[in-house]
Each structure stands twice: as structure tokens, then as C-alpha cells.
């Protein structure tokens, strides 16, 4: 089920350019290979588009490659704007979302779905969580 952000979390999420941008696309339909609000998003398309629009940052297009772009962080270190990864298709980093605080993340779920917020502590996501990355625009620009 899609979550609703409490006001405090919503305010915090709006302070980070990446999470703020991604949250503007709530309700946009899922589309495999989709990379824009006009055409729809898949999970990495939402992250790719949001990073470009908010940070001017060109991340890789696929979630497995995005996972290599950032700095690995522990789950308890998660901060607004970090990327969270899940194994939803039998691959370690097959799904990616943007952490918005309070164990919530925004993502483009799957076929038939729309961009929404989910709770990482729900059993489905909790058992599929495979890691988190912090994106440092300066570090990535100098790679």
C-alpha cells in the first residue's frame, strides 16, 4: 500500500533537491524504460530524471549502475535524498528509490503502478532491502 507522508517528514523531504523533485512526480504512471513525467517512469528513470533536474547530475540509467555511483552507507545512516536499493527481480540492485525520511521512500513501483511513497519497514520491502547509497555530486563530477 502507498504511504502518506506525515507533515514533518514532508517538510524535511522538501529540503533536499533530489527528494523534493521526485515527490513532485507522485501519481505519474509506471512505464518500463520511462524517463520523463510525460512518458512515465520506471524506477531508475525516476531517479535519473530527478537527479538531472534537481542537481544537474547525470547518473547512470540502470539501477545496478546507479548502485556503483554512490557511497555505500548503512541503513541506520540513511538521510533524506539517499538512494535505497531492493532485490525485486532476483538481482541485488534491481530496484531503486529515493529515501524521504521516517523509513519512507519514493519510487516508480512496477507495471500498472504510479510513482508513490512506500514504507521500507513493510515486510515486502524490508526483506528485499539490499543497500543504500549517498550521492555526492562533487565526487561523481570528478570521477
Amino acid at each position: 500500500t502507498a504511504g502518506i507522508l506525515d507533515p514533518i517528514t514532508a517538510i524535511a523531504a522538501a529540503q533536499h533537491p533530489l527528494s523534493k523533485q521526485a515527490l513532485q512526480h507522485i501519481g505519474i504512471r509506471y512505464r518500463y524504460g520511462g524517463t520523463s513525467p510525460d512518458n512515465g517512469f520506471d524506477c531508475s528513470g525516476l531517479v535519473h530524471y530527478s537527479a538531472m533536474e534537481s542537481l544537474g547530475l547525470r547518473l547512470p540509467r540502470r539501477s545496478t549502475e546507479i548502485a556503483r555511483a554512490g557511497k555505500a552507507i548503512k541503513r541506520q545512516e540513511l538521510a533524506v535524498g539517499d538512494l535505497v536499493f531492493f532485490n525485486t527481480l532476483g538481482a541485488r540492485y534491481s530496484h531503486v528509490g529515493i529515501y524521504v525520511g521516517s523509513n519512507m521512500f519514493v519510487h516508480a513501483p512496477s507495471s500498472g503502478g504510479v510513482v508513490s511513497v512506500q514504507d521500507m519497514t513493510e515486510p515486502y520491502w524490508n526483506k528485499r532491502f539490499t543497500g543504500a547509497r549517498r550521492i555526492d555530486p562533487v565526487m561523481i563530477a570528478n570521477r
Side-chain angles (χ1 to χ4, degrees):
T1 59
I4 303 296
L5 290 182
D6 67 89
I8 304 297
T9 305
I11 290 166
Q15 305 308 306
H16 192 287
L18 185 58
S19 51
K20 180 180 181 182
Q21 174 65 231
L23 286 167
Q24 289 172 13
H25 305 296
I26 294 286
I28 299 286
R29 69 190 174 95
Y30 176 90
R31 178 159 176 248
Y32 182 78
T35 57
S36 78
D38 296 336
N39 299 321
F41 289 113
D42 63 14
C43 68
S44 55
L46 175 66
V47 172
H48 184 270
Y49 180 89
S50 297
M52 195 68 208
E53 290 295 307
S54 65
L55 302 170
L57 183 61
R58 191 174 295 282
L59 288 174
R61 180 60 190 87
R62 295 175 61 239
S63 57
T64 50
E65 294 158 12
I66 293 171
R68 291 196 286 267
K71 171 182 176 268
I73 57 167
K74 293 183 172 74
R75 187 168 180 162
Q76 58 268 32
E77 297 172 323
L78 275 171
V80 173
D82 287 340
L83 302 181
V84 286
F85 294 86
F86 304 88
N87 178 345
T88 56
L89 299 171
R92 187 164 180 203
Y93 302 121
S94 51
H95 191 70
V96 61
I98 299 166
Y99 188 71
V100 296
S102 303
N103 288 310
M104 307 295 272
F105 70 103
V106 60
H107 71 142
S110 59
S111 192
V114 297
V115 175
S116 59
V117 173
Q118 306 271 198
D119 186 339
M120 289 174 54
T121 64
E122 285 182 6
Y124 178 87
W125 296 110
N126 198 42
K127 70 181 178 198
R128 288 170 174 80
F129 177 79
T130 52
R133 299 287 183 276
R134 182 156 296 151
I135 299 300
D136 178 349
V138 175
M139 178 185 81
I140 291 173
N142 293 325
R143 284 174 74 191

